[in-house]
Amino acid sequence: MGLIDETRDHDAGDLNDIVLPLMNVNRKIVNGLQNPYENQQVQFWMSSASDKNTYCYDKAIEMLELSIINSNKAFIFGCDYRVPMQCGLLPKDFLNEIKTSQTFSESSFAKEYMSRFVGSSNEAWFDYEKFLTHRQLINPETHEIIREGVESFYILSVDVARLGCQTVCTVLKVFPKDGAWHCNLVNIYIIGKNENDKVFDRQVLELKRLIERFNPKEVIIDINGLGVAFADYMIKETFDPERNIFLPAYGFFNRDEYKNIQPRNCLKILYGMKASGQINSDMHSALYAKIYSGCVNFLISEQEAKTKLMATKVGQRMKPEQRIARLMPHELTSILINEIMNLKIKPTGVSNQIAVEQINKRMLKDKFSALEMGIYRMTELENERNSKRRNRGLGEKRKLTFFKTGGGKR
């Protein structure tokens, strides 16, 4: 029997290679025999919560799965600050001082007192607190909302997957202000949630329905690998059996290989993305720059959104499935941020080129990929507009410099 306390503070290699092998031999009773009714290799794992991309988190998930599969073999439980406070072990005044302290981080409070695993690591590329600062959006958007007098448009960006991963569509609402452009990540959609809907004709149907609802300026699609097959369906009409109508074909405006095979009169809003080492590096740079400059806002956490929702009569009257659908964009945003916090810089051997890799290989990064494609394209559009304005300004200066007011020869 062994007790491993504060798992989050131990090295995974030391636990697996040194500590656990000490329990290889079964315990014997006085006569040298083994008691058949005694449990062997009993392990107790105790810990405060940690970051999600750690061995501690993986072990907690492993125990949770085992407790479901074989409840006679394992169990798991946890509690937050309310239990020791109710039992008089934790003074309420002390807890309030910590919660209101400017020097105690929100992520630390979540781990130490709320028993919540968070998406941060010392190796992480991003600062977790940066995302918390910019989780300001209360309501997700499910269709186009354009306010009078405010210039804005939508960009949909799609990371395509078929097996193992998910096809993800992020919805960016862009505000092209003078200088730096800003955007809100107003929704995230998983396209093809079950096996029947993962085939590309069904995925394309879902995406075209989103295009119909948001009327985006552009739709960015990853056309590497599997994305080529996805693109082939996008340039054809798609039958919608629920409404008994055909949804239109859409065309690529930046890929020459589609010019002769897509319908000539189709709406050309598709931007085909074929990533290379340099383009990936540029996408990473664009995402990093926009987030750290405060130009990207995210939806508030699902816990905060649920509290706000349940404080309204509309939220209280919602059916459970309606409430789940309403809160899903907030939950997917949290998963997206955890994916980003699971990334660290990877050496490339090429100067001025950035590459990233997952800290925890079990965690996917499809939502991150979809987001950074949209941010990258927004940055391109921003640079194009700013460049045109600068060139227009230079042209006006030239006119003023070389304008002749008349007069004869000197």
Side-chain angles (χ1 to χ4, degrees):
M1 179 182 296
L3 168 63
I4 300 174
D5 192 18
E6 285 297 351
T7 309
R8 70 177 190 175
D9 295 333
H10 297 290
D11 179 78
D14 291 343
L15 291 176
N16 289 327
D17 300 337
I18 301 173
V19 177
L20 293 182
L22 295 174
M23 306 177 70
N24 286 343
V25 180
N26 289 341
R27 183 176 178 273
K28 296 179 181 180
I29 54 181
V30 177
N31 61 7
L33 301 176
Q34 180 180 323
N35 183 354
Y37 303 104
E38 182 181 2
N39 291 322
Q40 303 292 336
Q41 288 87 35
V42 177
Q43 302 170 24
F44 289 95
W45 297 74
M46 296 177 60
S47 182
S48 303
S50 68
D51 305 318
K52 283 191 174 180
N53 39 32
T54 60
Y55 175 79
C56 180
Y57 178 72
D58 286 345
K59 179 57 70 172
I61 295 299
E62 179 185 311
M63 291 295 183
L64 176 62
E65 293 173 347
L66 185 58
S67 68
I68 297 172
I69 296 171
N70 189 351
S71 59
N72 294 324
K73 187 76 174 179
F75 72 95
I76 184 172
F77 73 93
C79 62
D80 59 22
Y81 67 88
R82 288 172 292 185
V83 174
M85 192 172 69
Q86 184 70 29
C87 297
L89 299 176
L90 181 63
K92 186 176 181 180
D93 293 341
F94 174 72
L95 183 69
N96 288 332
E97 288 177 6
I98 290 177
K99 290 178 69 175
T100 57
S101 172
Q102 297 295 320
T103 58
F104 200 82
S105 71
E106 195 171 337
S107 60
S108 295
F109 186 85
K111 290 186 286 187
E112 291 289 346
Y113 293 96
M114 298 295 295
S115 293
R116 291 178 181 171
F117 290 88
V118 300
S120 181
S121 167
N122 292 332
E123 297 180 280
W125 180 31
F126 277 86
D127 178 9
Y128 185 67
E129 302 294 332
K130 199 72 178 177
F131 287 100
L132 294 180
T133 303
H134 296 288
R135 297 196 74 168
Q136 302 173 351
L137 306 178
I138 297 175
N139 296 313
E141 295 184 16
T142 56
H143 60 276
E144 181 185 29
I145 301 175
I146 302 297
R147 293 182 180 178
E148 187 176 355
V150 178
E151 184 183 3
S152 64
F153 60 83
Y154 292 89
I155 288 179
L156 306 186
S157 53
V158 184
D159 183 56
V160 179
R162 178 64 179 86
L163 299 172
C165 298
Q166 297 174 322
T167 295
V168 178
C169 175
T170 57
V171 183
L172 292 175
K173 189 172 187 178
V174 180
F175 301 91
K177 302 177 181 179
D178 292 337
W181 287 18
H182 289 68
C183 69
N184 294 338
L185 180 60
V186 296
N187 216 321
I188 301 176
Y189 292 93
I190 305 300
I191 297 178
K193 295 183 182 68
N194 55 57
E195 290 303 317
N196 292 332
D197 292 334
K198 279 185 176 292
V199 291
F200 281 151
D201 57 342
R202 293 290 302 175
Q203 289 193 32
V204 165
L205 173 59
E206 289 187 45
L207 178 57
K208 288 187 176 182
R209 287 172 177 169
L210 291 177
I211 293 174
E212 189 177 41
R213 284 156 52 184
F214 285 99
N215 187 29
K217 179 182 179 68
E218 293 184 8
V219 180
I220 322 303
I221 299 177
D222 168 26
I223 58 173
N224 268 334
L226 291 172
V228 174
F230 190 92
D232 288 344
Y233 282 101
M234 287 297 297
I235 63 175
K236 300 175 182 177
E237 287 188 338
T238 304
F239 181 67
D240 187 342
E242 292 183 8
R243 294 181 290 170
N244 197 32
I245 62 171
F246 279 92
L247 298 179
Y250 295 99
F252 290 88
F253 62 85
N254 72 317
R255 306 301 305 187
D256 291 338
E257 61 265 37
Y258 289 99
K259 286 184 178 179
N260 296 326
I261 59 175
Q262 64 192 19
R264 292 184 179 275
N265 60 345
C266 66
L267 182 60
K268 297 176 180 61
I269 60 171
L270 305 182
Y271 181 97
M273 174 72 73
K274 280 195 173 182
S276 62
Q278 186 57 54
I279 291 178
N280 281 329
S281 177
D282 293 341
M283 287 195 293
H284 301 334
S285 298
L287 179 67
Y288 190 90
K290 282 296 181 184
I291 289 178
Y292 268 83
S293 60
C295 294
V296 185
N297 290 318
F298 301 88
L299 291 166
I300 59 177
S301 68
E302 57 271 32
Q303 295 87 1
E304 187 178 354
K306 183 177 181 180
T307 301
K308 291 181 180 295
L309 182 64
M310 296 306 294
T312 66
K313 292 183 179 180
V314 173
Q316 294 168 6
R317 288 196 296 264
M318 279 184 175
K319 296 179 180 178
E321 57 270 21
Q322 293 174 322
R323 195 174 299 123
I324 290 172
R326 169 61 181 80
L327 296 173
M328 184 57 65
H330 300 270
E331 184 174 343
L332 291 176
T333 300
S334 295
I335 295 173
L336 161 69
I337 293 174
N338 288 334
E339 286 185 5
I340 297 176
M341 296 309 305
N342 187 47
L343 299 174
K344 65 179 180 179
I345 295 294
K346 174 184 176 182
T348 63
V350 181
S351 60
N352 299 322
Q353 196 171 104
I354 301 173
V356 297
E357 63 179 348
Q358 294 144 288
I359 299 171
N360 183 347
K361 304 300 182 183
R362 292 177 55 179
M363 190 178 294
L364 301 176
K365 62 182 185 73
D366 39 27
K367 298 168 190 64
F368 156 76
S369 298
L371 173 65
E372 74 166 359
M373 284 195 301
I375 296 293
Y376 172 74
R377 181 55 187 156
M378 181 188 78
T379 304
E380 280 191 327
L381 292 171
E382 176 186 2
N383 292 336
E384 289 171 9
R385 177 183 284 195
N386 291 339
S387 178
K388 288 179 180 178
R389 288 185 174 181
R390 284 194 298 268
N391 291 336
R392 193 183 307 124
L394 288 173
E396 291 171 356
K397 288 181 180 179
R398 291 192 188 100
K399 289 180 181 178
L400 290 173
T401 302
F402 298 104
F403 182 76
K404 296 178 67 177
T405 58
K409 293 183 179 179
R410 293 186 179 180

